[in-house]
Structures are given as C-alpha cells and as structure tokens.
Amino acid sequence: MSSRHLLLDPHAQDLLFRKARTAHAFTGEPVDDELLAAVHELVKWAPTSFNQQPLRIVLVRSDEARRRLVPLMWDCNQAKTATAPLVAVLGADLGFHEYLPEQFPAFPQAKDVFFSNDDVRCESAVLNASIQIGYFILGVRAAGLAVGPMTGFQADKVSAEFFPDGRHRALAVINMGRPSTGAWFDRLPRLPYDRVFTSC
Amino acid sequence: MSSRHLLLDPHAQDLLFRKARTAHAFTGEPVDDELLAAVHELVKWAPTSFNQQPLRIVLVRSDEARRRLVPLMWDCNQAKTATAPLVAVLGADLGFHEYLPEQFPAFPQAKDVFFSNDDVRCESAVLNASIQIGYFILGVRAAGLAVGPMTGFQADKVSAEFFPDGRHRALAVINMGRPSTGAWFDRLPRLPYDRVFTSC
C-alpha cells in the first residue's frame, strides 16, 4: 500500500509533504498577518496534552528586531535569516499551566496536581510546543508558502532577546515566504519504514 | 482572511485539523502495517534538524506487550489503551547522530562537531522527535484513522520496557483506529491568535 491509498488526496499530500521542500532563499513578496491568522485558525485544532497549547510565536517584523536576531543565528543561517520576507521565533511558554483551568475546565486542578513541579512542567511545555511546531510547519505549507525551519542558533540568547519575561524557551526560528531561484538543496535521504518502526 | 483562503482544500483541512478529534474509544477494526507504511512514506518527507529523523515507533501488537504497557499508563488512560485496535509507543533515538553521516552527507562531521555532547544531543533528539510526532499525528489522520495521543504514562518505565537498549526516550503513546460510539469528549477551547502571536 502506498501513500496513493491514503484518504488525503494526492494534491494535498504533495503540498504538505512530498513536493514541499525546506527553502533557503525567498522572493521579496511579503507575508502578512492575515495569512498567519488563517494558518492559526486551522492548526489550533490539533491536539496537545491537557489542551495546554504552549507554543508562542514572535514575528520579527521590524528592522531593529531582525538586527538583534541575525547575529544570534549560526553562521550558516545568518544570510537567509537576514533576507527572508518573514522570520518567526517559536518558543514554549513554560508557564502555560496558569491557563489550564481555562483550557482544560474538566479538571482545573491539573495546574497544581500535574504541573507544579518545574522540571515536569518545562518538559511538558517543550514536548508539546515542539509537537505544535510540526503542526505549524505543515500549516504554513497549507497556506502555499515555503518554510525554512532552523534550530541552529544560540538558544539561550534568542530566548532572552525575544521572550524577555524569562518564562519562555526558544525552540526554532522559521523563515517563511515564496521560494526564489536557488531556494532548494538536493533532497536528503529518509529512513525506510523498517528502521523507524518495530513491533512487539 | 479565514482558513477558507488557504491553498489546502477545505476537505483536507477538515480531515487533518478541523473535524479531526482525539478519540477515546474505537471499533474493533484492525490497523495493519501496510497502512502505517503508507503513512510513513508520506510523513517521512517533513523536515528535521540536519535531517536527523530521530523518531522511533514501537507497535504494540502482542497481548503480552499490551499487558506490559497498560499498567504503566496513568489510570485515566488504561482502559482505552487496553482496548484500542493499535497502540504505538513513540520515542526519540538519543543515538541518532550515528546515522548523520548517511542522513546529512553534505557535512558528515556534524555527528561529532554538533552532537558529541550528551545534553545537546538528547535535547535535539527530543525536540525533533516531538516535531515528528506532530507530523505523524496528522499523517495517521491523512489515512482516515482517528488518533488518541497520550503523554500520561510513567515515561521512564515505558522507555525501559519498550526501548530496552537504553538509548531511547519514550515521549508519547498513541492509540489508533476507527472511532466508535462515545469516542468524543466536548471540544476544548483554543487560544486565539493574539495570545499565541506577537510582533516585534
């Protein structure tokens, strides 16, 4: 059975997965907030533990903010981060539990029963925000844009610069826009099924 | 602009996000390996850092394995994990860097330059495997199945039981199948755009 047998139609498979590629160069066409709001209206429905939704996204819109971000990226990521139409810093809200009584009203005590321990709470925030980064990457592709997700940056400094309240952890920086000439590198090999899945 | 304006067609939006729901009860219809292989052939193309692909998935197929897993789930997750047609344990391969020269041939030194430090490597494995869990959840939905993802289990014990080599960390357990009567709870509130996104 191949992915042709999935319920999702082949055009959508191509758009989200098979023909979508990580972009390393973009045209100048801007990405407006309205498109991101449409992405959010879609991906917000995907699940998180206790509906905690810890992902927070900072859109780096001003030249001043971009100038603060670029030197904190690894060298190999600086040029594309300097020139992408839109750059976003994605992080986990380590204090997400404050909102749990609102987000998970069936068991408002979850805030204290499960998440009063700092290590447990941070681990859950990072896990769930990362899962949401997966949803977000596919959501931006659903909007017809290309993404260039990066984890190569000085994470502590990016956290401090872009989440100055000290309760967030930066996890990824994502360039977004329409791909230009030279956007693509060669496609890299993927692990086959039998190296990812086992049965017991 | 609403999600009607996205390039992804509305039926696909419904299938993956808007009408898809976390299922808490399933019919007895089995989920075969061929369908999961088709899911893998699709979601394997989504991006990870250095193409590291650290997600590993153990399909709990035997009654014996199911009996080992169920008592390690939190009480609220035991009954549905005992009865779902298929249960999978998803974890991160903390030794993914061994394969990097094959997965990222453009810079085979990445294995040692970036990932010789245990903490850095584990953090990257967990981050990327979690992002891949997001892809996988949507991929299973693309196959027309419902998922019941859970993080409520004794993670250290599940890691030890289902990844006995000691180099993997269990991150999620996911029930899969066709939803039955009583599969759904009420839909929970989602954070609005302006509580997730900020600009600077």
Side-chain angles (χ1 to χ4, degrees):
Chain A
M1 187 179 290
S2 80
S3 40
R4 286 194 307 277
H5 297 89
L6 298 176
L7 194 58
L8 185 70
D9 81 80
H11 297 293
Q13 294 181 31
D14 285 342
L15 178 69
L16 300 183
F17 292 101
R18 209 160 29 223
K19 292 192 177 166
R21 301 286 307 281
T22 290
H24 299 273
F26 300 90
T27 71
E29 188 180 333
V31 178
D32 60 26
D33 285 1
E34 287 68 24
L35 195 66
L36 291 170
V39 169
H40 177 70
E41 285 304 306
L42 184 67
V43 301
K44 72 179 185 182
W45 295 116
T48 54
S49 306
F50 286 99
N51 195 35
Q52 63 182 248
Q53 309 168 68
L55 182 65
R56 301 292 180 268
I57 299 178
V58 179
L59 304 175
V60 181
R61 288 284 189 196
S62 71
D63 292 343
E64 176 274 325
R66 180 97 59 145
R67 278 194 296 270
R68 286 189 287 126
L69 176 60
V70 169
L72 303 180
M73 305 300 295
W74 289 3
D75 286 352
C76 57
N77 290 328
Q78 290 191 357
K80 55 193 174 190
T81 303
T83 55
L86 180 60
V87 183
V89 179
L90 287 79
D93 180 358
L94 307 179
F96 70 86
H97 64 315
E98 276 189 23
Y99 310 118
L100 271 193
E102 176 193 351
Q103 301 308 323
F104 198 79
F107 188 63
Q109 307 92 314
K111 170 181 183 294
D112 301 309
V113 172
F114 298 121
F115 298 114
S116 58
N117 177 286
D118 286 351
D119 290 341
V120 169
R121 192 176 65 252
C122 290
E123 195 173 307
S124 189
V126 169
L127 171 67
N128 281 279
S130 302
I131 291 173
Q132 287 186 285
I133 290 172
Y135 303 147
F136 181 74
I137 286 172
L138 299 180
V140 174
R141 289 174 167 185
L145 297 178
V147 294
M150 298 168 290
T151 56
F153 54 86
Q154 299 181 58
D156 289 348
K157 290 183 180 174
V158 170
S159 298
E161 279 287 339
F162 291 89
F163 297 105
D165 64 7
R167 78 174 221 182
H168 295 72
R169 186 177 303 167
L171 298 172
V173 176
I174 301 189
N175 295 326
M176 288 172 265
R178 308 237 171 239
S180 67
T181 311
W184 318 125
F185 296 164
D186 287 344
R187 194 145 218 179
L188 294 168
R190 296 305 199 268
L191 294 173
Y193 178 80
D194 61 3
R195 283 181 56 190
V196 174
F197 289 75
T198 53
S199 292
C200 67
Chain B
M1 188 179 292
S2 80
S3 40
R4 286 193 308 276
H5 297 89
L6 299 177
L7 194 58
L8 185 71
D9 81 80
H11 295 293
Q13 293 181 32
D14 284 343
L15 179 68
L16 300 182
F17 293 102
R18 209 161 30 224
K19 291 189 177 168
R21 301 285 307 280
T22 291
H24 299 273
F26 300 89
T27 71
E29 188 180 335
V31 179
D32 60 27
D33 285 0
E34 288 67 26
L35 195 67
L36 291 169
V39 169
H40 177 70
E41 284 305 305
L42 184 67
V43 302
K44 71 178 186 183
W45 295 117
T48 54
S49 307
F50 287 99
N51 195 35
Q52 64 182 249
Q53 308 169 68
L55 182 65
R56 300 293 179 268
I57 299 178
V58 179
L59 304 175
V60 181
R61 289 283 188 196
S62 70
D63 291 344
E64 176 274 325
R66 181 96 61 143
R67 277 194 297 270
R68 286 190 286 126
L69 177 61
V70 169
L72 303 179
M73 304 301 296
W74 289 2
D75 286 351
C76 56
N77 290 328
Q78 291 191 358
K80 54 193 174 191
T81 303
T83 55
L86 180 59
V87 182
V89 179
L90 287 79
D93 180 357
L94 308 179
F96 70 87
H97 64 315
E98 276 189 24
Y99 311 118
L100 270 193
E102 175 194 351
Q103 302 308 321
F104 198 77
F107 188 62
Q109 307 92 315
K111 170 181 183 293
D112 301 310
V113 172
F114 297 122
F115 297 114
S116 57
N117 177 285
D118 286 350
D119 290 342
V120 170
R121 191 176 66 252
C122 291
E123 197 173 304
S124 188
V126 170
L127 171 67
N128 280 279
S130 301
I131 292 174
Q132 288 186 285
I133 290 172
Y135 303 148
F136 181 75
I137 287 171
L138 299 180
V140 175
R141 289 174 168 185
L145 297 178
V147 294
M150 299 168 287
T151 55
F153 54 86
Q154 299 180 58
D156 289 347
K157 291 184 180 174
V158 170
S159 299
E161 280 286 340
F162 291 90
F163 298 105
D165 64 7
R167 75 173 222 184
H168 295 73
R169 186 177 302 166
L171 298 172
V173 176
I174 301 189
N175 295 325
M176 289 172 263
R178 308 237 171 240
S180 67
T181 311
W184 318 126
F185 296 165
D186 287 345
R187 194 145 218 179
L188 294 167
R190 296 306 198 267
L191 294 173
Y193 179 79
D194 61 4
R195 283 181 56 190
V196 174
F197 289 75
T198 54
S199 293
C200 68

